[in-house]
Every structure is written in structure tokens, then in C-alpha cells.
């Protein structure tokens, strides 16, 4: 059997594989991040942090659904200093460490990004798209705020930096965001975050399945894969090759990952499947992806990356 090389490079940082965890489930505590370090995940991505420790939203704030999940976690995290302190130990796993920051204001993001500059974190992902904080609209849907934030963050950040984007549903929005990124370039984008403010109702209890925000929460998993694929594809076509695209949304099998590869993703992240199946999911999806690529005679990511055929 031919070997398949799934290694990928983003901003001169090499990843041994195509698949990593998403900033989301099971990446908040040191024990959880250690488990990711010991797994086949090609990087360790931390839970989006805020300046201070946060309990997050009230429970129940997560529910499995037949084809994914809905959640309104509310950024439960240890506070950024805890992640700064962990970095030396996380680096021992010899894989890239990506820290995710999600400040409650631009000032918070600037302070945290500055602080992470002086660490050995390999990359910084700034989350512009958490839909679950009451009274805090997603930056990614406000293009003026996005532009201002990116301008100021870019000016202070020398490390490879990316932004985690919300899903867009109109090409004029995708184009507007791509134009801002072209003006203030980032090394990568991560797309998509959950479909924010969806509502799942249990007809037996006659209530929403999660409690925060009256039941409104981010939809994840298989439901959102076509949206994720479309956003990856659109941004890949709009952004220069120097801005890498990390795809997220509904990846549960090697075939799902392969679809993201065809759309143009340089790497992919796993959220709901990791939540539901734990760390073995990384090795399983990687094996499935390799087998699918082998069956097509592909030996490396570039054989298929972005090569979506047209009908
Ligand atoms: C959360 O903690 O509420 C989810 C994070 C996100 O959607 O970015």
C-alpha cells in the first residue's frame, strides 16, 4: 500500500497530520490538553480564554442531537494566565500549541495577545465568533468591529495569528470579510464556528434542550457541514494563498475530512465528534482519510487540496 503523507504547514509551523482538535470541547484543563497531547491530534488547541476564570453559562448547556449537538457553554475557562503557565508542559508533546483567545472586549484581546507573544505558543487564534455570551454580539458579524480589531491586533502580534470566524450565508458578507483580511493579513482563518442562536425544542418536556439564553445556542456537527464546506471554499477562493484556511464543522469521518480538503482546507479541526467519542476519534478519522486517499492513488494533501471539480 502507498503511504499517504498528511503533514501540512501553516505559517512555517509544521503539523504532522491534517486533523486537530477545535477550540471547544475537552480542551480547558491541563488534564484534557495533556490527553490531546497524547492523542493523534496534530496540534494542541486550547479552549478560548478570557482575562479571568469563567464558570461559563448555567447547565444544562450542552445536548447531543441525532446528527450533532447544540451548546451554549459561555466560554468556561481557567483565565489566560493559567494557559500561559501550561505552555512549557504542553510543548513537551512536540506538536504545535495553538492558543485561542476570546476576550470580552478588544482591550482584553489586545492584552492577552500581547501576553501570549512572550510565550512558546506556536500560534494564536483570536475567536471573533462566540455566540453564547449574553449581551456580546459576535465581532465576526460586525464588519467595522472586525476591521478595527484586526488592525489593532495585527499591529501588536508578530506570532502567526488567525481569527475564528462565524459562518456567513451571503457571498457579500464573505467578500467583505475577505477584503478586511487582505488589508490586515492573518496567517490563517478558522472557519466555521457553530451556527449561533439556533433553538432545539423537546416536544415531550415542551422546553428547549439547553437552558442558557432561553435555549438559544450554537448548532454543531453533521448539520453544519455544508455551511462549513461552503465557507472554506469561498474564503479559499477569495484570500491569497498565504492565508491558510483551517476547516471546522461536522467532520466525523475520513470522508468528511476529504471533502474539506477538496474545498481547500489546509487542516481541519474536530469538535462535536471529539466531545462524543474522545481522543480515539483523531486516529480513526486519520486512518479513514488515509485509506480513502490511498484508494484514489493520492499520496499527499496537495494531490487533492482545493481540487474540487466542477460539474
Ligand atoms: C462557548 O464556550 O460558548 C463556545 C465557544 C465558541 O462558540 O466560540
Amino acid at each position: 500500500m502507498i503511504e499517504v503523507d498528511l503533514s501540512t504547514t501553516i505559517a512555517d509551523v509544521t503539523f504532522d497530520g491534517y486533523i486537530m482538535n477545535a477550540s471547544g470541547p475537552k480542551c480547558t484543563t491541563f488534564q484534557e490538553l495533556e490527553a490531546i497531547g497524547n492523542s493523534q491530534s496534530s496540534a494542541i488547541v486550547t479552549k478560548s480564554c478570557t482575562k479571568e476564570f469563567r464558570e461559563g453559562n448555567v447547565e444544562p448547556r450542552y445536548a447531543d442531537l441525532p446528527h450533532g449537538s447544540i451548546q451554549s457553554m459561555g466560554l468556561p475557562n481557567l483565565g489566560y494566565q493559567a494557559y500561559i503557565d501550561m505552555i512549557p508542559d504542553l510543548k513537551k508533546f512536540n506538536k504545535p500549541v495553538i492558543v485561542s483567545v476570546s476576550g470580552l472586549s478588544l482591550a482584553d484581546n489586545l492584552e492577552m495577545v500581547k501576553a501570549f507573544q512572550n510565550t512558546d505558543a506556536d500560534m494564536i487564534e483570536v475567536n471573533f465568533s462566540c455566540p453564547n455570551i449574553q449581551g456580546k454580539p459576535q465581532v465576526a458579524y460586525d464588519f467595522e468591529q472586525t476591521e478595527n480589531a484586526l488592525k489593532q491586533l495585527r499591529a501588536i502580534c508578530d506570532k502567526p495569528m488567525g481569527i475564528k470566524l462565524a459562518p456567513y450565508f451571503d457571498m457579500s458578507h464573505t467578500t467583505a470579510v475577505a477584503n478586511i483580511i487582505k488589508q490586515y493579513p492573518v496567517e490563517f482563518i478558522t472557519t466555521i464556528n457553530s451556527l449561533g442562536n439556533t433553538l432545539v425544542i423537546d416536544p415531550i418536556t415542551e422546553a428547549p434542550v439547553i437552558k442558557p439564553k432561553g435555549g438559544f445556542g450554537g448548532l454543531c456537527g453533521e448539520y453544519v457541514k455544508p455551511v462549513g464546506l461552503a465557507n472554506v471554499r469561498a474564503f479559499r477562493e477569495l484570500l491569497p494563498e498565504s492565508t491558510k484556511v483551517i476547516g471546522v464543522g461536522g467532520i466525523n469521518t475520513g470522508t468528511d475530512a476529504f471533502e474539506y480538503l477538496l474545498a481547500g482546507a489546509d487542516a481541519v479541526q474536530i469538535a462535536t465528534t471529539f466531545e462524543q467519542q474522545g481522543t480515539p476519534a483523531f486516529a480513526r478519522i486519520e486512518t479513514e482519510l488515509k485509506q480513502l486517499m490511498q484508494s484514489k492513488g493520492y499520496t499527499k494533501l496537495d494531490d487533492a487540496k482545493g481540487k474540487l471539480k466542477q460539474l
Side-chain angles (χ1 to χ4, degrees):
M1 266 298 211
I2 41 168
E3 257 308 302
V4 178
D5 177 7
L6 293 184
S7 64
T8 187
T9 302
I10 298 174
D12 293 334
V13 178
T14 301
F15 297 70
D16 284 348
Y18 190 59
I19 296 155
M20 67 186 87
N21 72 295
S23 178
K26 299 184 200 285
C27 57
T28 300
T29 65
F30 181 69
Q31 287 70 24
E32 289 171 333
L33 293 163
E34 199 177 29
I36 294 167
N38 282 316
S39 78
Q40 198 59 23
S41 175
S42 65
I44 302 175
V45 187
T46 66
K47 174 73 185 168
S48 292
C49 63
T50 50
K51 266 181 69 181
E52 311 295 340
F53 166 90
R54 279 178 65 87
E55 282 291 352
N57 291 341
V58 288
E59 310 258 6
R61 57 194 186 185
Y62 173 92
D64 285 320
L65 301 174
H67 301 285
S69 62
I70 184 171
Q71 53 77 25
S72 179
M73 303 302 290
L75 298 173
N77 77 93
L78 305 178
Y80 79 107
Q81 188 58 48
Y83 298 101
I84 288 179
D85 295 344
M86 279 178 209
I87 289 170
D89 286 320
L90 297 178
K91 288 292 292 177
K92 290 181 187 152
F93 291 98
N94 288 322
K95 52 176 90 173
V97 172
I98 304 178
V99 291
S100 172
V101 308
S102 193
L104 301 181
S105 66
L106 175 56
D108 286 4
N109 274 336
L110 289 166
E111 184 176 330
M112 290 190 285
V113 167
K114 260 189 206 149
F116 279 115
Q117 290 267 93
N118 302 320
T119 69
D120 284 332
D122 295 276
M123 295 183 172
I124 304 175
E125 183 182 270
V126 186
N127 186 353
F128 279 4
S129 51
C130 176
N132 301 328
I133 306 296
Q134 190 96 43
K136 289 270 170 210
Q138 294 163 80
V139 173
Y141 285 137
D142 178 334
F143 303 149
E144 230 171 89
Q145 259 199 72
T146 296
E147 179 168 352
N148 184 38
L150 211 46
K151 182 178 174 181
Q152 296 200 44
L153 287 163
R154 189 69 279 179
I156 56 137
C157 187
D158 298 325
K159 274 194 191 287
M161 183 179 80
I163 48 178
K164 186 160 182 180
L165 294 171
Y168 298 104
F169 300 93
D170 192 285
M171 286 303 173
S172 67
H173 295 170
T174 322
T175 305
V177 173
N179 286 340
I180 295 168
I181 295 170
K182 280 193 248 178
Q183 218 183 324
Y184 304 105
V186 285
E187 281 73 20
F188 69 98
I189 61 164
T190 305
T191 180
I192 58 172
N193 207 325
S194 60
L195 263 66
N197 298 299
T198 62
L199 181 64
V200 176
I201 293 173
D202 180 343
I204 297 168
T205 62
E206 302 180 10
V209 297
I210 57 170
K211 189 172 168 71
K213 288 177 67 182
F216 288 78
L219 187 68
C220 310
E222 200 181 320
Y223 302 104
V224 311
K225 189 178 75 171
V227 182
L229 287 170
N231 276 259
V232 165
R233 183 70 184 164
F235 277 113
R236 183 63 290 152
E237 287 179 332
L238 290 164
L239 290 172
E241 186 49 38
S242 53
T243 301
K244 302 297 178 188
V245 177
I246 302 180
V248 206
I251 299 170
N252 179 39
T253 65
T255 304
D256 298 327
F258 183 69
E259 291 168 12
Y260 271 89
L261 180 64
L262 288 175
D266 295 282
V268 293
Q269 296 182 344
I270 314 291
T272 296
T273 294
F274 175 37
E275 168 70 32
Q276 295 175 341
Q277 300 177 17
T279 52
F282 299 117
R284 175 185 60 74
I285 297 169
E286 181 178 278
T287 302
E288 291 171 2
L289 175 59
K290 280 187 173 172
Q291 284 169 347
L292 178 59
M293 290 179 69
Q294 272 168 347
S295 73
K296 289 171 174 280
Y298 297 146
T299 59
K300 56 186 185 310
L301 294 173
D302 278 345
D303 291 343
K305 189 157 66 182
K307 296 195 173 159
L308 182 66
K309 294 179 182 161
Q310 295 302 312
L311 293 179

